[in-house]
């Protein structure tokens, strides 16, 4: 971790390595097989010039005729290696003779190869779109006028996004999606995702805005796939009497459920609003952007100047603004901040052209500055709407961090949470005020376009905010002591006051270098914790 001190970065700090894919369960994670016993044999038409059946010497010394090479068979094993890529192992059993191998990948492309007798042929392929494909391998013994073929169905590891809602799936206060009762300490509320409403079965991950309320102790909420071991990381942190939301992108169990674990020592109420889900079916990929401010009611950016009235709303253009394309955008990834609120309340972000749903995205108290990540569908006119659910005015800030569209090629790969940064451990100590930490999340891996992180600040000594942005410096520049101090960002990821512990989900783009910066935009020290929950990978 490298600390900036107002001078050019000295390059002596260390970065944070990309999470190990094998450790995260991605390297050869999903296996697809079709044994050799399923091989289909075919006798080929003899060449016109042949007057007699050719002969080849089998491995055991016997003679194989045109109807020969009786041991010829092919078994298939495929492994998902990346969001769009697979590795195929073709295990051939044959007499000792030259063979032609053709792999039809199921997307209209083929790959030729050769073999000689019994051997294993390894092939790699990258699909343009996520999905399920039937791979067919044909092995031909021309000398024996014989071929065998076998097929195996494979699915890419990556998932595309489908916008949905926002829709409330869980509210323990009313009995929506769970019994009408608080969630007891150290227990979980199971929430049905796959097959719930219009959400299909087989979803791989879901985007939820999880809110904890009616708290009487401190604690945390952890979201994870039902059936998996509960991770040690947290998604929402709370103190007594606090209502606090946080966006989570959580894997869905094979049974279609997710678990929300109450890590506090008293019961709490939980609310969960869904805004989208991921599947192995081609839909919308993700394009990360350098965070850009689209709305600020304090200056009149993106909407009328002046606080948003209580129970009032505004719409703002997303499509065609900045780096967001003018058409084809299905959803947008935001960081939404409320500041200077004159009463308690909440903000709801939703597609334009619709009525405001009952879902909430940011909950606030009088005078509080607080931010939350939001992924929201974009209306047919390319706009989104924001409603102030408080009874008095508040200022609203909206930063765009990315968008989803069918033309975006980055698919999502969730994995077991990995802790990338914790300044409370090791010799680095807290992050100084007005300084930054740079993290090597994807240097040298240009296919990785972004990460889903949960950032948490704690032990805060001054009021401030965290900014997360791509670093223009390369890893080589840091290692070679030639890196320059990046420009300080003005977009905020999360806001805090003295002594508070605050989490927020971040969709961090890796830019052109794979280096990501975490800025302490306050004048006091604070500790930073960064957990990685998944990544977006290009094809």
């Amino acid at each position: 971790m490298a600390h900036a001190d107002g001078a050019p970065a000295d390059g002596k700090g260390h970065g944070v390595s990309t999470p190990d894919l094998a450790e995260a369960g991605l390297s050869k994670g999903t296996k697809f097989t079709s044994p050799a016993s399923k091989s289909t044999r075919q006798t080929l038409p003899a060449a016109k010039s042949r007057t007699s059946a050719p002969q080849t010497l089998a491995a055991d010394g016997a003679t194989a005729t045109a109807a020969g090479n009786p041991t010829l068979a092919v078994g298939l094993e495929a492994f998902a290696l990346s969001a769009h890529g697979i590795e195929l192992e073709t295990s051939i059993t044959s007499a000792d003779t030259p063979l032609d191998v053709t792999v039809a990948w199921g997307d209209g492309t083929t790959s030729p190869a050769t073999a000689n007798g019994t051997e294993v042929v390894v092939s790699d392929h990258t699909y343009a779109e996520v999905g399920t494909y039937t791979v067919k391998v044909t092995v031909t013994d021309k000398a024996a006028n014989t071929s065998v073929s076998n097929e195996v169905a494979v699915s890419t590891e990556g998932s595309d996004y489908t916008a949905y809602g926002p829709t409330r799936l869980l509210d323990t206060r009313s009995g929506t999606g769970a019994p009408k009762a608080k969630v007891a300490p150290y227990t979980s509320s199971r929430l049905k995702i796959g097959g719930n409403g219009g959400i299909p079965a087989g979803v791989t991950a879901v985007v939820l805005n999880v809110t904890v309320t009616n708290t009487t102790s401190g604690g945390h909420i952890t979201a994870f796939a039902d059936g998996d071991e509960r991770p040690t990381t947290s998604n929402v942190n709370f103190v007594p009497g606090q209502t606090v939301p946080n966006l989570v992108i959580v894997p869905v169990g094979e049974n279609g459920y997710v678990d929300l674990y109450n890590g506090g020592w008293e019961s709490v109420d939980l609310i969960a609003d869904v805004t989208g889900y991921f599947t192995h079916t081609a839909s919308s990929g993700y394009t990360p952007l350098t965070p850009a401010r689209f709305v600020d009611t304090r200056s009149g950016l993106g909407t009328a100047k002046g606080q948003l009235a209580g129970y009032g709303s505004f719409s703002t253009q997303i499509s065609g603004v900045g780096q967001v394309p003018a058409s084809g955008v299905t959803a947008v990834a935001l960081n939404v901040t409320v500041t200077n609120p004159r009463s308690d309340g909440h903000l709801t972000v939703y597609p334009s052209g619709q009525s405001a749903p009952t879902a909430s995205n940011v909950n606030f108290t009088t005078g509080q500055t607080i931010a939350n990540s939001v992924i929201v569908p974009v209306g047919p006119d390319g706009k989104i709407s924001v409603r102030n659910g408080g009874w008095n005015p508040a200022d609203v800030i909206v930063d765009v961090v990315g968008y989803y569209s069918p033309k975006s090629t980055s698919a999502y790969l969730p994995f077991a949470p990995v802790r990338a940064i914790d300044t409370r451990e090791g010799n680095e100590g807290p992050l100084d005020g007005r300084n930054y930490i740079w993290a090597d999340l994807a240097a040298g891996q240009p296919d990785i376009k972004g990460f889903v992180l949960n950032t948490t600040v704690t032990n805060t000594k001054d009021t401030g905010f965290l900014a997360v942005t791509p670093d223009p410096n390369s890893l080589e520049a840091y290692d070679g002591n030639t890196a320059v101090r990046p420009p300080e960002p003005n977009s905020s990821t999360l806001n805090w006051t003295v002594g508070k512990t605050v989490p927020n989900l971040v969709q961090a783009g890796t830019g052109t270098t794979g280096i990501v910066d975490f800025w302490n935009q306050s004048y006091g020290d604070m500790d930073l914790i960064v957990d990685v929950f998944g990544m977006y990978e290009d094809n």
Side-chain angles (χ1 to χ4, degrees):
M1 292 175 287
H3 296 276
D5 57 5
D10 57 21
K12 294 180 180 178
H14 65 80
V16 179
S17 299
T18 303
D20 183 86
L21 297 185
E23 183 179 345
L26 296 180
S27 181
K28 292 193 174 181
T30 305
K31 182 178 180 180
F32 310 93
T33 63
S34 182
S37 60
K38 292 188 176 182
S39 298
T40 300
R41 188 179 184 92
Q42 181 180 5
T43 300
L44 302 178
K48 291 182 179 180
S49 60
R50 290 177 179 164
T51 58
S52 61
Q55 295 182 338
T56 58
L57 188 64
D60 60 357
T63 299
T65 66
N69 201 348
T71 64
L72 186 62
V74 58
L76 305 178
E77 287 190 347
F79 307 90
L81 293 181
S82 64
H84 296 84
I86 67 167
E87 178 182 282
L88 176 68
E89 294 183 359
T90 300
S91 298
I92 301 170
T93 303
S94 171
D96 189 11
T97 185
L99 303 169
D100 292 330
V101 181
T102 301
V103 181
W105 294 104
D107 59 354
T109 65
T110 59
S111 298
T114 59
N116 195 77
T118 297
E119 65 174 274
V120 176
V121 178
V122 179
S123 311
D124 294 330
H125 186 66
T126 300
Y127 291 98
E129 297 281 357
V130 301
T132 298
Y133 299 88
T134 299
V135 178
K136 181 178 181 179
V137 178
T138 302
V139 179
T140 302
D141 180 352
K142 291 182 179 179
N145 285 347
T146 300
S147 72
V148 295
S149 61
N150 200 351
E151 296 181 351
V152 62
V154 301
S155 293
T156 58
E157 195 75 7
S159 298
D160 271 3
Y161 180 75
T162 299
Y164 185 89
T167 302
R168 181 147 294 173
L169 295 185
L170 174 70
D171 191 338
T172 59
R173 302 170 303 178
S174 63
T176 301
K180 184 180 178 180
K182 282 187 169 185
V183 181
Y186 313 121
T187 65
S188 295
S189 177
R190 293 177 72 244
L191 176 60
K192 181 176 177 62
I193 301 296
N196 190 346
I199 303 174
V203 293
T204 58
V206 64
V207 179
L208 298 173
N209 198 66
V210 178
T211 303
V212 60
T213 190
N214 297 326
T215 59
T216 56
S217 72
H220 65 272
I221 304 298
T222 297
F224 60 103
D226 189 62
D228 287 356
E229 182 179 352
R230 174 171 53 85
T232 58
T233 54
S234 63
N235 298 96
V236 187
N237 298 73
F238 56 87
V239 296
Q242 188 179 30
T243 296
V244 57
N246 198 18
L247 193 73
V248 302
I249 301 178
V250 57
V252 177
E254 292 184 3
N255 60 2
Y257 283 81
V258 300
D259 292 343
L260 301 176
Y261 173 80
N262 174 16
W265 55 90
E266 297 287 349
S267 299
V268 299
D269 276 312
L270 290 177
I271 305 163
D273 302 314
V274 61
T275 64
Y277 57 85
F278 293 88
T279 65
H280 289 309
T281 303
S283 182
S284 290
Y286 183 62
T287 299
L289 301 174
T290 299
R293 185 143 295 173
F294 273 44
V295 173
D296 192 335
T297 60
R298 299 169 301 179
S299 64
L301 175 66
T303 188
K305 184 177 181 179
Q307 289 193 310
L308 178 59
Y311 307 120
S313 62
F314 67 81
S315 296
T316 190
Q317 188 71 33
I318 297 295
S319 296
V321 178
Q323 298 182 57
V324 181
S327 62
V329 176
T330 58
V332 63
L334 312 169
N335 204 68
V336 178
T337 304
V338 61
T339 190
N340 307 317
R342 299 184 186 178
S343 66
D344 296 355
H346 66 271
L347 295 181
T348 299
V349 187
Y350 56 102
S352 67
Q354 301 182 12
S355 299
T358 57
S360 63
N361 298 98
V362 185
N363 295 72
F364 53 85
T365 57
T366 304
Q368 185 181 27
T369 297
I370 186 171
N372 196 22
S373 290
V374 176
I375 300 175
V376 62
V378 175
D381 56 359
K383 296 181 178 181
I384 62 168
S385 299
V386 181
R387 181 179 184 271
N388 178 7
W391 57 90
N392 279 322
D395 281 310
V396 178
I397 303 164
V398 178
D399 297 319
V400 173
V401 301
Y403 63 87
Y404 296 87
S405 77
K407 292 185 178 180
S408 300
T409 56
S410 293
Y412 183 58
L413 281 168
F415 48 75
V418 177
R419 181 145 292 177
I421 300 173
D422 191 341
T423 60
R424 301 169 302 177
E425 300 179 354
N427 299 321
E428 296 298 329
L431 174 56
D432 300 335
R434 314 304 298 186
N435 289 341
Y436 73 101
I437 289 173
W438 62 268
D440 169 17
L441 293 183
Q445 302 186 65
D447 289 342
I448 299 176
K449 301 300 184 182
F451 287 88
V452 173
L453 314 172
N454 203 68
T455 56
T456 304
V457 297
T458 191
N459 301 321
T460 54
K461 306 302 182 185
D462 188 23
T463 298
F465 67 91
L466 179 75
V468 182
T469 60
D471 192 319
N473 295 295
S474 66
L475 181 61
E476 291 76 16
Y478 278 110
D479 289 343
N481 199 27
T482 60
V484 297
R485 181 180 172 91
E488 291 192 21
N490 63 359
S491 59
S492 63
T493 296
L494 59 83
N495 300 71
W496 68 82
T497 55
V498 177
K500 296 297 185 181
T501 296
V502 182
N504 199 13
L505 180 137
V506 181
Q507 301 222 92
T510 54
T512 59
T513 66
I515 306 294
V516 178
D517 294 336
F518 299 84
W519 289 83
N520 175 5
Q521 296 294 60
S522 77
Y523 289 98
D525 295 350
M526 61 82 164
D527 279 310
L528 174 66
I529 305 153
V530 178
D531 297 313
V532 186
F533 287 85
M535 66 184 184
Y536 291 98
E537 190 173 25
D538 206 347
N539 58 9

